[in-house]
């Protein structure tokens, strides 16, 4: 074989070997100081919320190794420290003192840029929020107006940031994380549209699928739609079964509070609900509590300690929240006498105003 041909042949082999994508990953991490030595760092699967790997810290360092066919989102956790990371084949570095520090592979480099810009945006928003809240030279109406404007500005900037990164990553782990994070401020129709544009990797992310399904249920139970019934086999205090239709659709306005004993905002709404209950209870108005995502004994303790007088459905779990597309509590819905949904997500003064309106 001609010498020049041999040299060219082997040069091509070397070039090919150097440019082939790595078939495994190495995550090399560091921790803030030696106090973390001999402790474990855990790698969590966001979808299952389960630990998938662990590593021992030695000399303020730790290492994870393995291989993946497709890049996936993971979370590194060490006591109060954490870092989001995309596990993809290649060499990845991460500093547990800096949540957005994962770098070294193409997706992680972009992920770090996204998280850094997002963190900066959130920091500015929080500082602006505190500045407005503490301004003693403005009235409450002006303060609320400024807070609303600050929130709208944040959402506009968030939309711009997420649009840039999502459009460039519609079918990979980074795009998955961006859309998931973005979904918190997107309207259901906006999220549906973006989800439809995404590739299979994004669309198969179970957390996003659950959000999409929740939104679909919420659309079916918006104001103007009929109530959706459910039955809890041991929902009464005496352990007997009870249905929502035992209260709703019986000729009364019914305010239904989906709540849990561990939920601080739920507890804050109890005095508001008590006020409207005491004012309007009778032949035309009723209040019903539906305890979700809670333990029966904890619900009963809370009912007793807070002197909750209105009827309750216990042990409802996720049944009603899935039917009504409820992703957070308290979630308070007002039903008309015929069971039609009048309004959802009522809180505080808005709740009192809506009840007063229908009870005129």
């Amino acid at each position: 074989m001609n010498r020049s041909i041999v040299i060219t042949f082997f040069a091509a082999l070397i070039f090919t070997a150097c440019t082939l994508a790595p078939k495994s990953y190495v995550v090399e991490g560091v921790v803030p100081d030696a106090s973390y030595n001999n402790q474990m760092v855990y790698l969590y699967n966001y979808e299952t919320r389960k630990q998938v790997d662990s590593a021992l810290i030695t000399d303020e360092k730790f290492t994870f190794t393995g291989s993946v066919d497709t890049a996936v989102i993971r979370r590194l956790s060490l006591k109060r420290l954490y870092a989001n990371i995309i596990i993809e084949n290649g060499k990845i570095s991460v500093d547990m003192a800096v949540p957005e520090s994962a770098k070294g592979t193409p997706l992680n480099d972009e992920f770090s840029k996204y998280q850094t810009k997002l963190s900066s945006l959130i920091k500015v928003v929080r500082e602006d929020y505190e500045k407005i809240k503490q301004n003693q030279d403005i009235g409450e109406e002006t303060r609320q107006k400024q807070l609303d404007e600050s929130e709208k500005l944040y959402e506009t900037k968030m939309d711009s940031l997420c649009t840039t990164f999502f459009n460039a990553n519609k079918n990979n782990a980074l795009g998955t994380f961006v859309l998931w994070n973005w979904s918190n401020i997107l309207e259901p129709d906006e999220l549906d549209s973006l989800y439809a544009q995404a590739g299979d990797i994004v669309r198969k992310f179970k957390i996003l699928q659950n959000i999409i399904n929740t939104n679909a249920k919420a659309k079916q139970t918006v104001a103007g739609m009929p109530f959706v019934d459910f039955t809890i086999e041991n929902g009464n205090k005496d352990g007997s079964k009870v249905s929502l239709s035992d209260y709703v659709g019986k000729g009364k306005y019914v305010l239904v509070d989906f709540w849990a004993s561990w939920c601080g905002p739920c507890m804050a709404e109890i005095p508001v609900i008590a006020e409207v209950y005491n004012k309007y209870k009778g032949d035309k108005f009723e209040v019903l509590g539906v305890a979700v995502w809670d333990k029966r004994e904890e619900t009963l303790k809370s009912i007793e300690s807070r002197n909750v007088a209105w009827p309750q459905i216990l042990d409802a779990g996720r049944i009603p929240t899935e039917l009504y597309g409820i992703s957070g509590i308290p979630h308070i819905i007002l039903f008309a006498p015929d069971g039609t949904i009048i309004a959802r997500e009522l809180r505080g003064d808005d709740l009192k105003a809506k009840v007063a309106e229908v009870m005129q």
Side-chain angles (χ1 to χ4, degrees):
M1 183 180 293
N2 184 288
R3 180 181 176 82
S4 62
I5 296 175
V6 171
I7 293 174
T8 302
F9 175 75
F10 280 104
L13 282 179
I14 293 171
F15 177 80
T16 301
C18 290
T19 56
L20 282 175
K23 296 182 179 180
S24 62
Y25 65 82
V26 178
V27 178
E28 295 182 344
V30 296
V31 296
D33 55 63
S35 67
Y36 293 94
N37 286 338
N38 299 315
Q39 297 183 41
M40 303 299 292
V41 180
Y42 297 101
L43 188 66
Y44 283 91
N45 182 328
Y46 266 116
E47 291 183 274
T48 64
R49 299 182 181 181
K50 292 182 179 179
Q51 173 190 323
V52 294
D53 204 351
S54 61
L56 181 68
I57 299 170
T58 305
D59 297 327
E60 300 168 46
K61 299 177 182 178
F62 62 88
T63 302
F64 286 94
T65 60
S67 63
V68 289
D69 295 327
T70 304
V72 291
I73 307 167
R74 292 291 183 261
R75 182 182 180 93
L76 289 169
S77 180
L78 170 62
K79 290 190 172 180
R80 295 185 178 181
L81 302 179
Y82 78 93
N84 293 316
I85 188 171
I86 293 176
I87 297 296
E88 63 177 329
N89 293 329
K91 188 174 181 179
I92 306 167
S93 65
V94 63
D95 183 347
M96 290 300 293
V98 185
E100 60 272 10
S101 64
K103 297 178 181 177
T105 59
L107 285 181
N108 276 296
D109 288 345
E110 288 301 300
F111 194 23
S112 179
K113 292 177 185 177
Y114 166 75
Q115 291 189 100
T116 299
K117 290 181 178 180
L118 179 62
S119 295
S120 297
L121 174 57
I122 292 173
K123 180 181 178 182
V124 170
V125 169
R126 285 176 176 170
E127 290 174 350
D128 190 41
Y129 179 86
E130 288 302 320
K131 184 178 179 180
I132 295 170
K133 290 287 287 185
Q134 295 175 16
N135 187 352
Q136 301 299 316
D137 297 327
I138 58 176
E140 283 305 314
E141 185 176 343
T142 301
R143 177 177 288 105
Q144 189 57 55
K145 182 179 179 181
Q146 290 183 2
L147 288 172
D148 291 343
E149 290 173 350
S150 177
E151 182 178 354
K152 288 179 181 178
L153 181 60
Y154 161 71
E155 291 182 357
T156 298
K157 291 183 176 180
M158 179 72 165
D159 284 341
S160 177
L161 174 64
C162 292
T163 296
T164 298
F165 281 90
F166 178 73
N167 284 344
N169 299 276
K170 290 184 177 180
N171 194 33
N172 61 37
L174 175 53
T176 302
F177 188 93
V178 170
L179 187 57
W180 173 26
N181 197 40
W182 195 5
S183 68
N184 292 322
I185 66 167
L186 288 170
E187 294 296 327
D189 288 342
E190 293 174 325
L191 178 58
D192 288 346
S193 176
L194 291 165
Y195 185 76
Q197 298 171 33
D200 286 345
I201 291 174
V202 176
R203 291 169 62 84
K204 288 180 180 178
F205 188 59
K206 286 184 171 55
I207 297 176
L208 274 174
Q209 289 179 344
N210 290 339
I211 294 171
I212 292 295
N213 290 336
T214 296
N215 285 346
K217 293 294 185 182
K219 289 178 184 178
Q220 295 171 10
T221 53
V222 296
M225 298 293 287
F227 81 100
V228 178
D229 199 15
F230 60 84
T231 299
I232 306 302
E233 290 301 319
N234 62 335
N236 279 320
K237 287 185 178 181
D238 63 4
S240 60
K241 72 177 181 179
V242 60
S243 300
L244 182 64
S245 56
D246 292 336
Y247 297 91
V248 174
K250 299 294 187 182
K252 292 183 180 182
Y253 288 99
V254 184
L255 189 72
V256 180
D257 175 28
F258 297 91
W259 70 291
S261 64
W262 49 263
C263 167
C266 298
M267 299 301 102
E269 288 300 316
I270 288 179
V272 178
I273 297 170
E275 182 179 334
V276 297
Y277 177 70
N278 291 330
K279 185 174 182 179
Y280 297 109
K281 63 179 178 180
D283 295 339
K284 295 182 179 180
F285 182 78
E286 180 64 279
V287 171
L288 173 67
V290 179
V292 298
W293 313 341
D294 205 1
K295 295 180 180 178
R296 187 184 188 91
E297 57 273 21
E298 297 300 322
T299 301
L300 290 171
K301 285 180 185 177
S302 187
I303 290 170
E304 182 177 359
S305 65
R306 295 178 183 276
N307 299 313
V308 175
W310 48 93
Q312 298 286 326
I313 295 179
L314 310 175
D315 281 339
R318 295 186 175 275
I319 294 173
T321 53
E322 289 180 358
L323 286 173
Y324 282 84
I326 296 171
S327 57
I329 54 175
H331 194 104
I332 303 172
I333 302 177
L334 179 62
F335 295 89
D338 65 354
T340 300
I341 297 169
I342 294 176
R344 294 182 52 143
E345 298 188 71
L346 292 169
R347 300 278 292 274
D349 290 340
D350 289 339
L351 185 158
K352 289 188 283 188
K354 179 56 70 172
V355 174
E357 177 188 321
V358 301
M359 294 302 294
Q360 285 181 348

